Amino acid sequence: MSEESEGVCQECGRDKAKIHITDFIDGKPVKKHICQKCYDAEGGMPSLSSSDLFAKLVGIIAPEVKKAGRQKCSDCGIDYIEFRQSFKFGCAKDYVLFKDALDELFEDIHGASHHTGRVPEGKAQSATGTKQRVEMLNRELAKAVEKEDFERAAQLKRKIKQVEQSSVGSIKK
Amino acid sequence: MLEALKNKKLGRWLQGGPQDDVVLSSRSRLARNIAGYPFLTRAGKSQVARIEELVHKKILDAGFKPPLQYYRLDRIDPFDLRLMVERHLIARNHADSDLVRGIAFSEDESLSIMVNEEDHLRMQTIYGGMQLAEAADAVIKVDNILAEHLPYAFSADYGYLTACPTNVGTGMRTSVMVHLPAIMMSRDMDKLTRICEDMNLALRGLYGEGTHGAADIYQISNNVTLGITEQEITGHVETATKLIVDLERDIRDSLKTKHGKELDKRLGKTLELLHNIKSISSEEALNMLSLLRMGTRLGLINELTESKMDELLFMSLPAHLQTIARREADSVKRNEMRASYIRKNLKSLENKNEET
């Protein structure tokens, strides 16, 4: 177990390294292990985060970056470079804003860029969600028919009807 | 210490299941975020607190049966947090975070819901032995219940939206915990890594990323979450696990037939050592107990029952030892406590055997 072997901060060499980030130094990603104090002292962000130089460097490492541009999300305030650096989205809207670049990134990570799994069902889901849900269920229905899985197709038809009906009136905005 | 964790048997998943000579447990988790709120990476302190409050309330409203216990992790003892990590109720990240956050779990610990970990919600089910399909079905049921109360961040293109791009789509991470002492002993790691690479699965140590295979226990889980259905994910992990189980069993059998004497000697020595040891680190203990676990499963050790063996193994982890002792201890003290705990348990098991 790692209880005895926790690393020490690379900045102050004193406290336990709690934060593990990837910084970019001379265009190369470098793993940094630092303590909370040193992290806070740097303003919580690695040194080069938003400079044009940094954007260029990320552009070299992550080619899809050009497609995303440098537009900031109006909800959470991050742009694609910042996302690429932390590898964390700030909010759901980023997925729409960065779409052009994301399809390529998701192909790299997942070998796919389109969801084929389950769709949320339930009273709490939003009205726009309903429209998407019906679209997805229809797509699944087409797949089931193609596979001649008629039991599944009948099940899906019932579900589509249910979802369409439940969206009338009962959705709170 | 939390009442819910005190004087209680280990989670149901530790009490065995199908193919538990190799597969310790099967786990399935789903990551979800609430529509209309930023992800935790960009949420301010008060927003984080509001999300916790909302999700907490909705989990209680959902009326799970039997009811779940809920705890605010930022309000409980750090020691209890470590205990929860060792029991696989929460992820290590969740324990180490400083956000307002919580955990809901069922009495038998087969279901837990982490609130404000990396995503607003992470629900997981964990069952003993090889029960991947069962675990996946169960967590989907939980998801359906919560979907009646919480609007999820979802898009038709990308599915369930998560803070990290590696979870997007299904948000599903399905994994097995496997005990692979024979593969490790035979240095046949290559075959193991190849199976995982071929099927695009991740291989990790006992407590997630960056930990090595203490006690020869490894986790195998899916990497891909987008463009794949929940059934396909579960199916891939299941197929790979079957191959790995066969590999481990084959090597165990050939070890027994070809090197039976040597193995017997090593097991005897290990048992004797543990009977007399005065102090032992958790890593050493786990490695020795791992060997004994295999010996037990191969029928080479009669003194130990299989379920007792697993309990001994997990109780040798640092925080659990302190539970037994009911006090906090430093690592020197812990190593002594661990040795004495193992000595006592081995002895009691032998006594029982002599009676029968």
Side-chain angles (χ1 to χ4, degrees), chain B residues 120-135:
Chain B
H120 297 157
L121 263 164
R122 284 196 172 183
M123 48 200 115
Q124 73 158 26
T125 51
I126 181 164
Y127 288 171
M130 180 70 155
Q131 298 198 67
L132 276 170
E134 289 81 355

Side-chain angles (χ1 to χ4, degrees), chain B residues 46-63:
Chain B
S46 63
Q47 260 171 330
V48 172
R50 277 209 306 280
I51 295 164
E52 188 278 333
E53 195 183 351
L54 172 74
V55 178
H56 178 172
K57 182 178 177 301
K58 295 295 179 180
I59 289 174
L60 297 183
D61 285 353

Side-chain angles (χ1 to χ4, degrees), chain A residues 62-65 67 80 98-113, chain B residues 158:
Chain A
E64 87 282 0
V65 109
K67 293 186 178 161
Y80 191 77
F98 307 149
K99 188 172 189 334
D100 290 341
L102 287 181
D103 284 347
E104 202 174 315
L105 177 71
F106 290 159
E107 285 288 344
D108 270 357
I109 302 175
H110 298 285
S113 57
Chain B
Y158 300 135

Side-chain angles (χ1 to χ4, degrees), chain A residues 3 89-90 95 103 115 118 125, chain B residues 41 144 147 157-158 162-163 334:
Chain A
E3 40 152 351
F89 291 104
Y95 279 95
D103 284 347
H115 179 56
R118 293 173 63 246
Q125 306 315 311
Chain B
T41 37
N144 283 336
D157 288 327
Y158 300 135
T162 52
R334 269 208 305 268

Side-chain angles (χ1 to χ4, degrees), chain A residues 102-138:
Chain A
L102 287 181
D103 284 347
E104 202 174 315
L105 177 71
F106 290 159
E107 285 288 344
D108 270 357
I109 302 175
H110 298 285
S113 57
H114 213 97
H115 179 56
T116 54
R118 293 173 63 246
V119 174
E121 291 159 41
K123 279 183 237 139
Q125 306 315 311
S126 71
T128 46
T130 304
K131 202 178 134 223
Q132 291 172 332
R133 233 155 39 238
V134 172
E135 270 171 30
M136 283 213 57
L137 287 168
N138 272 321

Side-chain angles (χ1 to χ4, degrees), chain B residues 99-114:
Chain B
L99 297 180
V100 173
R101 64 206 192 281
I103 172 85
F105 59 89
S106 62
E107 164 89 44
D108 67 3
E109 298 179 18
S110 64
L111 164 66
S112 61
I113 306 173
M114 289 185 267

Side-chain angles (χ1 to χ4, degrees), chain A residues 39-135:
Chain A
Y39 181 74
D40 291 341
E42 282 186 27
M45 283 283 174
S47 41
L48 283 167
S49 73
S50 57
S51 75
D52 288 341
L53 172 66
F54 181 77
K56 265 186 205 154
L57 295 172
V58 175
I60 295 163
I61 299 158
E64 87 282 0
V65 109
K66 290 184 194 83
K67 293 186 178 161
R70 298 229 44 191
Q71 198 187 338
K72 280 189 188 292
C73 173
S74 59
D75 277 10
C76 71
I78 68 166
D79 64 15
Y80 191 77
I81 303 283
E82 282 168 293
F83 155 68
R84 210 57 179 77
Q85 188 190 7
S86 64
F87 220 51
K88 298 277 188 289
F89 291 104
C91 71
K93 203 175 171 185
D94 296 348
Y95 279 95
V96 181
L97 188 67
F98 307 149
K99 188 172 189 334
D100 290 341
L102 287 181
D103 284 347
E104 202 174 315
L105 177 71
F106 290 159
E107 285 288 344
D108 270 357
I109 302 175
H110 298 285
S113 57
H114 213 97
H115 179 56
T116 54
R118 293 173 63 246
V119 174
E121 291 159 41
K123 279 183 237 139
Q125 306 315 311
S126 71
T128 46
T130 304
K131 202 178 134 223
Q132 291 172 332
R133 233 155 39 238
V134 172
E135 270 171 30

